[in-house]
Amino acid sequence: MSCDCEMPSVFNQATPRARTRYRCCECHGWIEAGERYQYSWGIWEGSGSSYKTCSGCAKLRDEV
């Protein structure tokens, strides 16, 4: 399987506990304060981006 997506020059991922309410970047549902979520950030083509993903979407993505 190949990927046509560009790989970031810098990338990091963590699973912190939410301090406040956030929106999941995938399903747009709420990540409530106190819940664990996947925080990813990286630099693509010289521009930084970060993403917060709820645990349900992160688990589904990892399985697929």
Side-chain angles (χ1 to χ4, degrees):
M1 174 186 251
S2 67
C3 177
D4 292 338
C5 57
E6 180 184 339
M7 298 303 291
S9 57
V10 176
F11 184 79
N12 194 16
Q13 206 167 57
T15 310
R17 193 171 298 277
R19 287 182 267 169
T20 187
R21 194 180 202 203
Y22 300 120
R23 281 260 185 215
C24 174
C25 69
E26 306 229 355
C27 71
H28 305 287
W30 289 109
I31 300 166
E32 299 294 340
E35 291 180 346
R36 292 235 176 244
Y37 67 98
Q38 187 176 72
Y39 177 74
S40 306
W41 68 270
I43 300 175
W44 290 265
E45 296 183 355
S47 183
S49 294
S50 64
Y51 306 95
K52 294 176 178 84
T53 307
C54 70
S55 58
C57 287
K59 182 179 177 183
L60 180 62
R61 187 181 58 225
D62 289 345
E63 290 176 1
V64 174

